[in-house]
């Protein structure tokens, strides 16, 4: 059953988020060596988490502690006999803990802003996050208002969007924390152009002095193909690779995957690792939608000092 949406503290969340979780996280005991990977959804969270995990084990993929595999820390699944939420279980994790989250700026643990822990913050252009999200929550039939592309794109840039709009989410962090010593801001598009550069930047930020061989291993194991091979093992045999629907067919059922039901990855959700390219938005956005978003982009980003690459 799709989890639906819930509104808490003025923000719309997926139904797996609870007030209890948000309150616990605001007051959370952050550890000095915690690494929090913070993103607007579909910005490359899992990619950045995998890079961080690999860096911490010198690129030896088999040494990553998968028992400490993270999902968005704000999730709190309440059902009979459910295991404790991750934010509780994490109290028993071994340091360094790698945590992923889409918490908004206001709701992040206060201790982070006192300089505790480190934040790797990934920004991806809002057109590609929208299309990636469309292929994800749209296909999961997460909420009825996400079922048609035209509605989805409109909804994505309304304040009611899950996790808020890209603009509010990204700019709140960027404007307040771009100079904080425990924050590293990265752009997905730069990571695509120069993955090795991104690995070096992150390892320097984490204070890890990796050998050239270790850097190469991290780059290799965090590549799209390597991650896809390792994290998509449980796909049904019938499944065709997910396709972005062309603009005029955007709301039609788009692939065998839709008919077969979502493919399960190790992350338990459809196709988190999908195309992994810059500019996929061009296959889905109509000319009018693109122009509208460009105008909004110019208005919202003016004076922010943040530039985003779209292709
Ligand atoms: S989520 O659900 O918000 O946590 O999703 P998130 O992990 O942030 O983003 C999913 C998109 O990231 C792409 N991805 C990658 N791109 C490049 N390299 C690697 N290794 C990689 N791993 C994941 C993934 O394909 C999703 O983007 P789209 O555009 O849908 O392909």
């Amino acid at each position: 059953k799709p989890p639906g949406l819930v509104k808490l503290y003025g923000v719309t969340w997926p139904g797996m988020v609870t007030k209890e979780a948000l309150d616990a996280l605001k007051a959370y005991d952050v550890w000095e060596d915690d690494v929090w990977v913070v993103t607007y959804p579909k910005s490359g969270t899992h990619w950045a988490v995998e890079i961080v995990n690999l860096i911490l084990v010198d690129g030896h993929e088999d040494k990553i502690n998968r028992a400490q595999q993270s999902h968005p820390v704000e999730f709190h699944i309440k059902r009979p006999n459910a295991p404790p939420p991750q934010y509780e279980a994490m109290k028993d994790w071994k340091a360094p803990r790698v945590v992923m989250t889409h918490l908004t700026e206001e709701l992040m643990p206060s201790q982070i802003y006192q300089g505790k822990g480190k934040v790797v913050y990934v920004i991806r252009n809002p057109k590609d996050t929208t299309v990636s999200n469309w292929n994800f929550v749209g296909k999961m039939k997460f909420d009825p208002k996400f079922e048609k592309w035209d509605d989805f794109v409109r909804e994505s840039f309304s304040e009611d969007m899950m996790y808020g709009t890209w603009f509010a989410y990204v700019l709140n962090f960027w404007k307040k924390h771009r100079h904080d010593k425990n924050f590293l801001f990265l752009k997905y598009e730069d990571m695509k152009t120069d993955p090795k550069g991104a690995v070096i930047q992150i390892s320097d930020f984490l204070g890890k002095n990796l050998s050239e061989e270790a850097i190469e291993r991290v780059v290799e194991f965090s590549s799209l193909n390597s991650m896809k091979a390792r994290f998509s093992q449980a796909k049904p045999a019938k499944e065709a690779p997910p396709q972005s629907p062309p603009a005029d067919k955007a709301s039609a059922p788009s692939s065998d995957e839709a008919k077969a039901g979502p493919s399960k990855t190790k992350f338990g959700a459809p196709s988190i690792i999908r195309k992994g390219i810059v500019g996929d938005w061009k296959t889905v956005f109509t000319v009018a939608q693109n122009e509208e978003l460009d105008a909004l982009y110019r208005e919202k980003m003016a004076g922010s000092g943040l530039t985003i690459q779209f292709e």
Side-chain angles (χ1 to χ4, degrees), residues 52-121:
V52 171
N53 275 329
L54 284 162
I55 288 172
L56 295 174
V57 295
D58 288 320
H60 294 293
E61 191 273 330
D62 54 337
K63 294 205 176 125
I64 295 175
N65 184 353
R66 297 288 177 194
Q68 297 191 177
Q69 181 73 54
S70 188
H71 59 70
V73 73
E74 60 276 13
F75 287 5
H76 176 192
I77 293 156
K78 279 192 158 178
R79 59 176 140 72
N81 306 320
Q86 184 189 301
Y87 64 86
E88 285 291 345
M90 270 168 53
K91 294 173 183 168
D92 299 321
W93 281 12
K94 287 203 191 81
R97 304 183 298 190
V98 183
V99 186
M100 69 165 76
T101 187
H102 309 303
L103 280 171
T104 57
E105 197 276 336
E106 293 84 356
L107 293 167
M108 284 286 288
S110 306
Q111 290 186 2
I112 296 260
Y113 301 139
Q114 291 154 16
K116 246 182 157 186
K118 288 191 172 163
V119 171
V120 173
Y121 192 100

Side-chain angles (χ1 to χ4, degrees), residues 39-47 100 102 124 128 132 135-136 188 192 222-224 227 271-277 280:
T39 61
Y40 190 69
K42 314 320 284 184
S43 299
T45 327
H46 289 80
W47 185 16
M100 69 165 76
H102 309 303
R124 186 184 192 187
D128 282 335
S132 181
N135 278 285
F136 189 67
Y188 179 97
K192 283 291 297 184
S222 61
S223 69
L224 187 82
M227 285 183 61
S271 319
I272 278 189
I273 304 171
R274 199 182 57 97
K275 285 191 189 172
I277 57 169
D280 193 33

